[in-house]
Amino acid sequence: MTTFTETIEIDAKVARVWGTLAAVGSIAEWNPGLVGSQATNNAIGLGATRFCDIDGKQNLDEEVVLFEPMRAITFRITRTTLPFRFADIRFTLSEDAEKTLVSVSPDYELKYGLLGQLLDWAVVSTAYKRGMRGLLTGLKVRAEGR
């Protein structure tokens, strides 16, 4: 299993940042790594699901498996065209006056056993970290209203 954490400080109150993260179907509006997204059920919070279109060919479905309002939300990839055996992506938020510190921590494992581990080491982990930094930057721009 691979895990890492990326963190960003956002010049907005936690409620504003949380509102952006909890609107699960609209992630493509601020995540530069997606070309489209939509909620796939009517749930709010725990059990909410979404479809994410990465590039018109690759995609994934996610479900909210942890929901602690204003503090943490975890998305689990439940189906994907990417080579993940499993993946959870946890966001944690903490407020300091008018700012919010947001961390994203994916836990994942690739398919294909040893070959997947080598693929992760050689390519995937670097690309995934870059993608998470882009996601956090997009969240910052959205929450700060720029």
Side-chain angles (χ1 to χ4, degrees):
M1 179 172 70
T2 302
T3 189
F4 62 88
T5 300
E6 295 288 333
T7 303
I8 197 165
E9 184 179 84
I10 298 177
D11 190 18
K13 290 189 173 248
V14 73
R16 183 170 178 93
V17 177
W18 179 258
T20 302
L21 282 173
V24 299
S26 63
I27 186 173
E29 294 175 11
W30 52 268
N31 181 350
L34 299 175
V35 298
S37 64
Q38 64 185 30
T40 54
N41 68 12
N42 293 324
I44 297 173
L46 196 62
T49 58
R50 68 182 172 203
F51 170 80
C52 298
D53 184 352
I54 298 166
D55 61 6
K57 295 177 185 171
Q58 298 181 353
N59 54 67
L60 55 92
D61 292 320
E62 293 179 308
E63 179 180 358
V64 175
V65 295
L66 179 128
F67 190 80
E68 298 174 12
M70 308 293 175
R71 294 183 46 212
I73 188 168
T74 299
F75 296 91
R76 176 164 292 151
I77 296 176
T78 58
R79 187 210 54 80
T80 183
T81 58
L82 300 172
F84 288 110
R85 190 172 81 70
F86 71 83
D88 285 350
I89 302 96
R90 180 180 174 95
F91 292 86
T92 56
L93 292 78
S94 59
E95 188 170 40
D96 180 23
E98 301 290 316
K99 297 179 188 270
T100 303
L101 189 65
V102 180
S103 295
V104 61
S105 302
D107 291 318
Y108 68 94
E109 185 174 298
L110 297 183
K111 297 176 183 177
Y112 316 123
L114 181 58
L115 179 60
Q117 291 174 14
L118 292 171
L119 182 64
D120 187 33
W121 176 80
V123 179
V124 174
S125 64
T126 301
Y128 205 1
K129 287 175 185 176
R130 186 173 45 250
M132 291 296 104
R133 286 191 296 271
L135 175 143
L136 288 175
T137 300
L139 177 62
K140 177 180 176 69
V141 169
R142 176 66 165 234
E144 291 178 353
R146 295 182 187 167

